[in-house]
Amino acid sequence: MGGNPAKNHYAQLNQGEENEMEIFGYKTQGCRKALCIAGYILSCGALMLLFYWKPEWDVWANCIPCSLEEADIVLLRTTDEFRIYSRKTVTWISVSALIRSRTDYPASAEEDSIFSKAIMKPSLQVKSIQVQKIRYVWNIYAKQFQKVGVLEDHHTCSAIHAKFGCGLTCNEQNVRRVICGPNTIDVPVIPIWKLLIKEVLNPFYVFQLFSVCLWFAEDYMEYATAIIIMSLLSIFLTVYDLRQQSIKLHRLVESHNNIMVTVCRNKEGFQELESHHLVPGDMLVLKEGKTLLPCDAILISGQCIVNESMLTGESIPVTKTPLPQADNFKPWRMHCAEDYKKHVLFCGTEVIQTKADDRGAVKAVVLRTGFNTAKGDLVRSILYPKPMNFKLYRDAFRFLMCLVAFAAIGMIYTVCVFALNGEEAGEVVKKALDVITIAVPPALPAALTTGIIYTQRRLKKKGIFCISPQRINMCGQLNLICFDKTGTLTEDGLDLWGLLPSERNCFQDIHSFPADRSLPWGPVFRAMAVCHSLIVWQGKIQGDPLDVKMFEATNWVIDDSSGHQIEGQGSTHATVVRPGPKASSVPVEGVTILHQFPFSSALQRMSVIAQEIGGEQQVFTKGAPEMVAMLCRAETVPSNFESELLLYTAQGFRVIGLACKSLQAGKQLTDLTREEVESDLTFLGLLIMENRLKRETKPVLEELSAARIRSVMVTGDNIQTAVTVAKNAGMISPTNRVILVEANQIPGSFSASITWKPLEENKTEYYRSLEDDSQTKRRTRLALESGQYHFAMTGKSYQIVAQHFRHLLPKLLLNGTVFARMSPGQKSSLVEEFQKLDYFVGMCGDGANDCGALKVAHAGISLSEQEASVASPFTSRTPSIACVPELIREGRAALVTSFCMFKYMALYSTIQYLGVLLLYWQLNSFGNYQFLFQDLAITTVIGVTMSFTGAYPKLVPYRPPSQLVSPPLLLSVVLNILFSLSMQIFGFLVVQEQPWYSKTDIHSACLSMNNHMENYSSVSSLGLHGMRDGALEQTDNGYKSYENTTVWLLSTINCLIVALVFSKGKPFRQPIYTNYVFILVLIGQLGICLFLVFADIDDLYSKMDLVCTPTMWRTSMVIMLAVTLAVSFLVEPRLGICIKTGTIAATLPTSPLLSFLKAIHLNDKIKGNARPNHLFFPLVSGMYQALPQAREIQAAFGVSYSDAVDCQEELVTVFWWRALVELV
């Protein structure tokens, strides 16, 4: 893969999509395959296992590169930063049985489709591959693999009606069915044996197997058996969990795979069949009553009310309208723009009501089948989750490789020592391999996840559910949270506050709610009664909360039970609203809602065509006031419209504009376009809704602000309302100014203008894109440097800035706080732009329009408990933003726990490794029970209990470090290794200098003491020597020595010291004494260890391969350990200060720090790459409240990214050395 790929050897799959991949063609070669098989046999399967882990090596070894057209094997590689490879075999699908003659060949509907372009002649076969449940076929003409199971995007609206309006023929349907496969979202329950094999072949367990075999070879039976039992238990628990998940997922989707549906066959009429026979292009007929949709389909006639809670998380019924028969050359999706979803019925959603129009039955064309559907995509995201890119995991792997290199040095040392002393080759190999199992702790991966598992349980108890545990650690790094407004910061329900009617170009007196007097009959009343998408479902009025409140204020009721005759249009099913029992007297029997143009986030409005029973047809529109006013005739809009709107939005009210017009009689409703209907309207007035802040909103935002976590509002509401809510909530301080950023495209040109307007002033300054933008840069910099500004902008302005003023966007985002009138796509884009500035972004929302942003954020927090929360990593049971600081607290605790566990496991293995290497110098080692005690009784128990410590209740204004390879953490590990090494070497050397020490006589110390105390007993020297030799022969197994006893006791208790020192409490976790289990475990383990130090029980010492030493020496060992504990306790908190110093660097504007900065700046000048002073000193003066990332520096000062990276690295170094100065 190193050279240039052969011609047509490489292509891209799903180009531009989220699951984009690179695809390479290969052809199997016989001689290569034979050599590989020989390699499998000679390596006893090791080569096959390696190829299982690395599929790309398997392909490169067995195959030769070729064009994709000739390939029988393809190699796929993801285009993200992970570059994951997968291997797929090309398969052939035969359609010869279906196409016997030219007359059987697919008809006109197929001529420009992938189905006709994929069939090879004369073999009548189709070449295909299957990737992540999606089938791709080879397009003979385009020379590339294309997805099947979807209707091609190039079809226009009119083409869909014309080609598929009458359905497919039986032959076309059969050909498509064979090529596409069944319309099922089939998630088979994975057999236990498959799960077992997959789990056992995990590299971690393979390493465990290698370790166990080695330990059995060394007669280390007890620990090997314990590891086997623990590994089997872990494997069985994992397999059980995976099996249960597989069963749950299977049950979730199986109900949708076998539904009876009615389809329309070209020239053959209607036909009933099972849903798994459906193919793209089929004409689906939707009957009355509830229907579960088995595929994605485009509605082409009639209207549907759909419950999309499975996808969007909102149980509000959604109205679907038919695809217009627009006669143009644009593809249907491009023609419909962001509103294309209003015409699409999604798989897995429930049609709760259908309304036929004058064209007869409600019909829909099958758009996508199987795993290509919206539900299929959701299931695939569960089956194939996107890998997490987090520095901790990358650093952990790198550190593991360092330990492997460390072990390699130990292996070389071991081979040299034992070989030079004439040991047998087999023994030398075993001892050398044993070093790997000591230096690289097999439990390290498990230790890293322990904290996450316990955190997940704690979150569950607090009502926060997590479906992506890997993201918990990311929550500990969040420094910016995007909040939706309605339902998230404010109450979900709206209260109707008042109505400001307009007549003859003037606003009238406001009508307040609730009021003693009822609203008078007129156009405004009719608009409130009919301009909604409410339905009666299960005996209750269902729909948007705003619509419900507005309609309830009229005291009318919905009669949704019968068909109604409409003049000139035959019989159709329509909704009728009538006066209710409490309604005031009106001159009409009721009003019929004939047609709806549903609310669109992109258009920011909705409209209905309604008719008084026996009266004329009228259009009623409601939506964003600015948008509605634009659609009205200028003479009907009051001159003080903007000032009145500002008056109410500035108070935080949600304001809705109302408008209407009469329709010409005799026009067919189906012939009317939305543009025609929503033009030349008459402005009716403003509906004012009150949206109160939730009780917990302000305290939570204050807590985040105190922790220096930015809060940003991203909403679809009016910008003035959003700014007011932001001020009331505390996002914007009363002393700070809000600058409104307005960007507009200049009509008739490709350029744009941007306007800066402080909301408190009327002064406006214009900067054209054609002019020199130096003033723009200067003013932006002044605003940023003051730190007293907040930018606010609409979605439209954001889009224009992103397109025309790209260089300004990062600068605006750094101080942007309110983003209003944002569409779902713009919300996702905004989150991604923040991520490009090196922010760790959280997104908190509750609506369908938040789903995209919830998915792309580092941590998406859904306040909805619907099935759509599958798209969000976290879901809160209580719809309150109080879950956000809770999640950050737990994330920080989990991250620190992961670091503590990592450091402990690394130190434990290194301590043991150093002790063993010291003893290898004398051809000695630890005994089996000594290893067993350290590995099981000490480390395993500590590993389980250390993570019990909960999160600290207060959020501090800095974050824990996110990477292992950082100076403070590395120094912590290195210093503790040096302390341990020094203590062990000291003990190892000093014990040899003791007067009672003997290299050959392991009983000399205690016996000489006894003899001295008994005044030299009468036992003869010879007899005594014989007894000692006999005892030695009976009890010595080759491990016992004074060095062994000294080093083992020191290293074992040192493991306890390290566990205590590394168990950090404040500021991210609760104090260590609150973890009662861990403290009791440490006390118990320390008690046992001290008992082993001072006890003199022959049987116990014999079993543990220890020897008796004088009491004075034992006391000396305890003193050594106490000194090590004191030094570690003294140094470790100081290293914590270093971490804190590096994270809140901007809060240390002391003169030594400034001296350092000046020194760096001077050094740069000497090197000839000086940067301006303003790169450093505003940062030090506290402008950013936290150490800035490279992207922030680049955005704020307009330097290149490489210079920004250098600057950021220098700042980290500066603060690191500043901390060392403090330490000294």
Side-chain angles (χ1 to χ4, degrees), residues 32 41 48 94 174 234 250 303 339 352 364 394 412 447 461 506 560 568 614 643 733 858 977 995 1032 1104 1182 1189:
R32 283 178 171 239
I41 296 166
M48 186 182 286
S94 174
N174 290 333
S234 173
H250 174 75
Q303 217 176 71
D339 283 332
I352 54 180
R394 293 202 310 273
I412 296 167
K461 286 179 182 177
C506 291
D560 202 21
S643 60
S733 168
H858 288 110
I977 287 173
L1032 183 66
M1104 293 298 297
Q1189 300 297 323

Side-chain angles (χ1 to χ4, degrees), residues 37 215 244 271 294 859 945 1121 1152:
I37 291 170
W215 293 331
Q244 290 301 109
Q271 179 184 339
T945 57
L1121 289 162

Side-chain angles (χ1 to χ4, degrees), residues 471-709:
R471 292 197 186 235
I472 290 175
N473 274 340
M474 277 196 170
C475 292
Q477 284 295 301
L478 295 180
N479 55 358
L480 186 147
I481 311 292
C482 295
F483 291 100
D484 179 37
K485 184 180 76 69
T486 308
T488 304
L489 297 174
T490 60
E491 296 288 353
D492 199 15
L494 293 162
D495 291 321
L496 202 57
W497 185 85
L499 175 68
L500 190 64
S502 171
E503 286 182 23
R504 295 182 298 279
N505 198 21
C506 291
F507 281 117
Q508 307 300 306
D509 293 338
I510 192 162
H511 179 92
S512 299
F513 294 97
D516 296 333
R517 60 188 179 90
S518 58
L519 193 65
W521 174 253
V524 176
F525 189 101
R526 288 196 292 275
M528 292 175 63
V530 299
C531 196
H532 53 73
S533 55
L534 301 175
I535 64 163
V536 176
W537 185 31
Q538 296 177 346
K540 285 179 66 179
I541 293 177
Q542 301 277 352
D544 187 280
L546 185 150
D547 288 354
V548 173
K549 286 285 183 184
M550 180 183 73
F551 183 71
E552 284 176 349
T554 64
N555 290 321
W556 280 36
V557 294
I558 297 175
D559 175 11
D560 202 21
S561 57
S562 59
H564 302 275
Q565 191 75 18
I566 300 168
E567 188 180 343
Q569 296 184 35
S571 181
T572 186
H573 190 92
T575 302
V576 176
V577 292
R578 304 179 189 275
K582 296 180 181 179
S584 57
S585 176
V586 292
V588 296
E589 183 187 339
V591 182
T592 306
I593 302 170
L594 305 176
H595 189 76
Q596 284 183 17
F597 294 97
F599 177 78
S600 160
S601 298
L603 299 176
Q604 298 174 5
R605 62 182 181 270
M606 75 159 291
S607 297
V608 297
I609 300 173
Q611 181 180 22
E612 290 180 17
I613 296 176
E616 64 172 359
Q617 293 180 5
Q618 283 187 303
V619 173
F620 293 95
T621 299
K622 83 170 191 302
E626 310 95 323
M627 187 59 66
V628 171
M630 283 171 59
L631 301 172
C632 293
R633 288 178 289 116
E635 63 270 18
T636 67
V637 180
S639 56
N640 61 338
F641 168 79
E642 288 186 7
S643 60
E644 286 293 317
L645 177 61
L646 182 62
L647 175 67
Y648 292 105
T649 54
Q651 296 175 60
F653 291 115
R654 185 171 181 184
V655 183
I656 306 296
L658 300 173
C660 76
K661 78 170 181 180
S662 297
L663 276 182
Q664 293 177 359
K667 266 209 167 187
Q668 289 283 338
L669 298 184
T670 51
D671 295 336
L672 291 170
T673 64
R674 187 163 190 164
E675 289 73 21
E676 287 179 81
V677 169
E678 296 175 338
S679 62
D680 297 325
L681 300 171
T682 299
F683 186 75
L684 294 178
L686 299 174
L687 193 64
I688 302 161
M689 317 285 284
E690 190 175 21
N691 197 194
R692 296 187 184 93
L693 278 178
K694 288 183 177 178
R695 184 167 35 87
E696 57 278 351
T697 294
K698 196 165 184 178
V700 167
L701 293 179
E702 285 172 353
E703 184 179 8
L704 294 177
S705 177
R708 290 182 181 157
I709 297 169

Side-chain angles (χ1 to χ4, degrees), residues 122-161:
S123 63
L124 298 179
Q125 287 187 314
V126 176
K127 184 178 180 178
S128 73
I129 56 172
Q130 187 141 323
V131 182
Q132 293 185 350
K133 304 285 187 182
I134 301 291
R135 185 176 289 182
Y136 300 83
V137 297
W138 180 254
N139 186 324
I140 304 164
Y141 304 99
K143 303 292 183 187
Q144 64 180 14
F145 280 102
Q146 283 183 230
K147 190 187 293 184
V148 289
V150 297
L151 204 63
E152 289 87 342
D153 284 336
H154 63 76
H155 292 298
T156 63
C157 295
S158 54
I160 289 174
H161 281 275

